Amino acid sequence: MGKSDLLLELYSNLGTTGAVAFSSKTLVKKMLTHVDFKGAKLIIELGGGDGSITKGIVEKLSPDSELLVFEISKSFCKSMEKQFPQKNVIIINDSAENIGEYLHGRKADYVLSSLPFSFFAPELRDQILSQSKSALTQSGFFIQGCYSYLLKNLFKKHFGKVNTSFTLKNLPPAFVMVCN
């Protein structure tokens, strides 16, 4: 899938992608600074999209670690399966609200998300965040890239602590919320 096809997918499904552009390298780097790749055995990504964040994770992922990427767009999934053929990268064409069905009793060290929570119904937001928290180890982190500072209150409902940073080098400028 070419870049123009990815952009078409992005804009034609704005309600599920929630973005006007793909995540910048600066935003990805800012999100990944909170991940200890040496200690992580299982990482989950919610909303793989064009693979911008996935690429950053895969570049640092240990060979003995696993990455589960949830994406509801079939065309984004097909593109990512070609882009990331590694055996320890699993592309899952399903909603993030179904995380638990794929863990088989395991717990993740990190859940990284770029989901557009502002566009989701409250029930869906709560289900995804509840599933994300349940999927994490006790010392695990949920890391969200988003465009609205107001989402901090939503994350505080599910996680005890939420730290926030900001980057102008993204279109639009973005917040990174690190929750545990």
Side-chain angles (χ1 to χ4, degrees):
M1 177 180 274
K3 200 66 163 174
S4 61
D5 294 328
L6 288 171
L7 287 170
L8 180 62
E9 179 72 17
L10 179 75
Y11 292 121
S12 63
N13 294 303
L14 199 55
T16 54
T17 62
V20 294
F22 296 117
S23 300
S24 70
K25 288 181 182 179
T26 303
L27 175 59
V28 172
K29 186 176 178 181
K30 194 168 205 78
M31 290 176 74
L32 297 183
T33 60
H34 302 283
V35 177
D36 172 14
F37 285 95
K38 290 181 182 165
K41 292 296 173 202
L42 178 61
I43 298 174
I44 298 171
E45 181 187 0
L46 308 180
D50 75 324
S52 301
I53 297 170
T54 313
K55 183 176 188 271
I57 295 169
V58 169
E59 287 173 353
K60 296 177 180 246
L61 191 67
S62 298
D64 62 334
S65 299
E66 188 174 46
L67 172 63
L68 304 181
V69 182
F70 285 81
E71 174 55 57
I72 61 170
S73 163
K74 285 186 185 206
S75 54
F76 279 158
C77 285
K78 287 179 184 176
S79 176
M80 283 190 298
E81 285 169 350
K82 289 176 187 166
Q83 192 176 355
F84 307 107
Q86 298 87 338
K87 290 187 190 290
N88 63 339
V89 178
I90 312 299
I91 309 298
I92 300 168
N93 185 207
D94 199 356
S95 172
E97 66 188 306
N98 299 319
I99 295 170
E101 295 177 25
Y102 297 89
L103 294 180
H104 310 291
R106 299 179 302 160
K107 295 283 186 175
D109 301 289
Y110 297 92
V111 174
L112 288 94
S113 171
S114 58
L115 294 178
F117 283 101
S118 297
F119 293 136
F120 294 166
E123 302 82 31
L124 180 59
R125 286 191 295 229
D126 287 337
Q127 176 68 14
I128 291 170
L129 289 170
S130 175
Q131 284 286 315
S132 295
K133 185 173 183 179
S134 294
L136 287 168
T137 63
Q138 194 149 353
S139 60
F141 289 89
F142 177 85
I143 302 168
Q144 173 74 37
C146 58
Y147 306 124
S148 173
Y149 186 78
L150 298 175
L151 286 172
K152 185 173 183 175
N153 292 328
L154 171 66
F155 301 135
K156 277 188 169 183
K157 241 174 73 174
H158 294 273
F159 298 95
K161 189 175 176 184
V162 180
N163 291 320
T164 306
S165 60
F166 182 72
T167 182
L168 285 170
K169 294 182 178 181
N170 194 68
L171 182 64
F175 294 94
V176 173
M177 300 199 184
V178 180
C179 314
N180 66 332

